[in-house]
Amino acid sequence: MKRGTVIFGGLALVFVALAFLVVQKETVLARGQPVLLRLAPVDPRSLIQGDYMVLDYAINQGWREGREQPQEDGNVVLRLDEHDVGEFVRYETQAGTSLAPGEVRLRFRIRNSQMRLGAEAFFFQEGHAERYAKARYGELRVTDNGTSVLVGLRDENYQPLGSAIH
């Protein structure tokens, strides 16, 4: 009887954690501000994993512009243009600092000495690789605290190419 209780309790805990994550992501999707990030050149398909695109963002390439990469997790501040494309402004040195009009914060993590936004993969329907090869922007929804969710890809004219498979 005790073993069954422990197993049931563990499963219940897993389901509660999953439900929390789903609610958190749905909140970002519903309330988040659209932000487009210019994509760095990427391989349009991962041959090992099939219909899947590895994404890299131009703001991650700061070392090419002489900008030092941060050594720990934090936020980057972006200025949005008229098309909601985010351009690097600065790293946020103190959490919760005031932002200027047109600026947003975007949470990042440092993994393997690289800045990760948490949206480095885009899955699409089998047979649609050619359509997504035209991607020039990743479309994210971003909340005030910098939490983001990738919602799709856009072409050079800012037009949606489709949405991720969930």
Side-chain angles (χ1 to χ4, degrees):
M1 183 83 172
K2 273 188 162 188
R3 186 175 182 205
T5 303
V6 169
I7 290 172
F8 178 74
L11 285 173
L13 185 60
V14 168
F15 285 125
V16 167
L18 287 173
F20 175 77
L21 291 173
V22 168
V23 168
Q24 183 182 31
K25 296 296 183 187
E26 288 297 327
T27 300
V28 173
L29 289 171
R31 298 184 182 159
Q33 175 178 0
V35 174
L36 301 181
L37 294 179
R38 188 169 285 108
L39 296 173
V42 294
D43 179 7
R45 289 190 66 186
S46 170
L47 297 176
I48 295 172
Q49 294 178 311
D51 293 334
Y52 160 87
M53 183 183 290
V54 176
L55 302 178
D56 191 15
Y57 301 98
I59 65 167
N60 290 350
Q61 306 299 317
W63 56 272
R64 289 185 181 157
E65 301 164 5
R67 190 169 62 232
E68 189 172 324
Q69 294 286 346
Q71 299 303 307
E72 57 187 41
D73 298 354
N75 291 319
V76 63
V77 176
L78 306 171
R79 179 172 295 115
L80 301 183
D81 69 11
E82 67 276 4
H83 299 287
D84 291 328
V85 176
E87 293 292 334
F88 177 86
V89 175
R90 66 185 176 279
Y91 294 111
E92 189 175 50
T93 55
Q94 273 190 320
T97 57
S98 296
L99 299 176
E103 289 183 344
V104 296
R105 68 178 44 91
L106 182 60
R107 181 93 179 126
F108 67 84
R109 297 186 191 326
I110 301 297
R111 298 294 181 265
N112 299 321
S113 300
Q114 293 186 339
M115 191 168 85
R116 299 285 181 200
L117 303 176
E120 279 80 20
F122 184 82
F123 292 87
F124 47 86
Q125 186 175 349
E126 187 175 340
H128 289 162
E130 189 174 307
R131 176 190 330 178
Y132 293 104
K134 299 174 185 174
R136 296 298 175 263
Y137 299 93
E139 180 183 1
L140 291 86
R141 295 284 176 171
V142 181
T143 60
D144 291 340
N145 70 0
T147 303
S148 66
V149 174
L150 178 69
V151 296
L153 299 177
R154 295 199 178 202
D155 66 15
E156 68 273 359
N157 297 315
Y158 313 105
Q159 297 303 308
L161 295 174
S163 59
I165 295 175
H166 298 288

